[in-house]
Amino acid sequence: MDFNDIQNAWNSEKTDNVVLPDNLEKINSANTPLDKIKRNLRNDLIAQTVAVVLIGASPYMHGFPEKWIVPFYLLFSIFFAVSIYYLIKLYLFYRRLNNITLKTRDSLYETYFDIRLNMELYKTIGFALTPFLVLFLIGVLYHKYSMKPGGFQLTDFSNGQLTSVFVIVVFCILFMGLSVDWTVKRFYGKYAKEIKKLIDELREE
């Protein structure tokens, strides 16, 4: 093969994935927001695992009556199954982020879309678990106050009071849902935007 053949072969190669030094520097700068996402993700994994364990132990921590134990754990079993599925997904996502190497534009694109996908998963699972958390909270509060001398019972509620409780429950669910959305934007969304900005800058070059 002479020099002309080598030159023709070189020219025929695709250049779409060639990364220039300036571009490589920009791609590497995505590691900073990515490290922050990984740190927040690790903290989330730990905090949510502890939270699931504490919720599971709450009947014994708060001295629930024996008659409440079985209904509680029937409800908790659903909550636990959803939580475990989500935590496994979150852990696998965390491992992918730890193993990724940002050296090409394609790897940056894939990482960004993986982050966006898991942000939506985070919100979906958060919304799904919110009613369970509200029910657990109501159960703990009801048990706490019904055990006091002169404490209220379910039969003590008037229709108006039951309506008020319903409104409060709906408000709590909406508030917790909005809190999940805010948490995702605060701890993941703003760093994903930094990566998206880099992607847009690379497209313009």
Side-chain angles (χ1 to χ4, degrees):
M1 180 180 290
D2 60 21
F3 177 77
N4 289 331
D5 292 332
I6 296 174
Q7 186 175 25
N8 289 334
W10 173 266
N11 291 333
S12 66
E13 292 290 328
K14 293 183 178 180
T15 60
D16 293 343
N17 291 323
V18 174
V19 181
L20 301 176
D22 289 344
N23 287 352
L24 182 59
E25 184 178 347
K26 284 185 178 180
I27 291 171
N28 286 334
S29 69
N31 282 308
T32 300
L34 191 61
D35 286 340
K36 293 177 180 178
I37 289 175
K38 287 189 288 188
R39 181 194 63 201
N40 291 336
L41 194 55
R42 182 180 64 251
N43 293 339
D44 257 346
L45 276 167
I46 296 170
Q48 293 185 36
T49 300
V50 171
V52 171
V53 172
L54 290 177
I55 290 173
S58 59
Y60 300 100
M61 293 170 59
H62 297 281
F64 279 24
E66 191 69 27
K67 64 181 180 180
W68 283 30
I69 300 296
V70 172
F72 175 87
Y73 281 110
L74 285 175
L75 182 63
F76 179 75
S77 64
I78 302 173
F79 173 83
F80 182 76
V82 176
S83 297
I84 289 300
Y85 171 81
Y86 163 66
L87 288 172
I88 290 173
K89 288 280 189 180
L90 203 63
Y91 175 71
L92 293 175
F93 174 49
Y94 177 70
R95 286 191 61 182
R96 286 199 302 274
L97 290 184
N98 271 335
N99 294 331
I100 199 164
T101 303
L102 296 180
K103 293 297 183 183
T104 65
R105 284 173 292 191
D106 286 344
S107 65
L108 186 60
Y109 297 153
E110 291 172 4
T111 301
Y112 171 73
F113 288 118
D114 199 12
I115 292 169
R116 293 294 305 179
L117 180 64
N118 280 273
M119 282 172 59
E120 293 305 313
L121 176 65
Y122 191 116
K123 289 191 284 187
T124 300
I125 300 297
F127 296 149
L129 294 179
T130 292
F132 292 100
L133 295 174
V134 172
L135 288 174
F136 291 143
L137 179 61
I138 290 173
V140 170
L141 291 176
Y142 174 76
H143 169 67
K144 180 179 178 180
Y145 289 107
S146 64
M147 291 296 103
K148 290 185 176 182
F152 59 82
Q153 302 295 324
L154 287 176
T155 54
D156 296 332
F157 284 101
S158 65
N159 289 336
Q161 289 172 325
L162 287 173
T163 301
S164 298
V165 170
F166 174 77
V167 171
I168 292 172
V169 169
V170 171
F171 174 79
C172 287
I173 291 175
L174 289 175
F175 175 77
M176 293 180 74
L178 291 173
S179 297
V180 170
D181 190 61
W182 178 85
T183 299
V184 171
K185 289 179 180 178
R186 171 69 176 80
F187 294 101
Y188 302 100
K190 70 176 185 178
Y191 302 121
K193 285 182 180 179
E194 292 180 25
I195 296 175
K196 179 64 165 58
K197 183 179 177 182
L198 289 172
I199 291 174
D200 291 339
E201 290 175 359
L202 289 169
R203 283 175 176 170
E204 292 172 0
E205 295 179 357

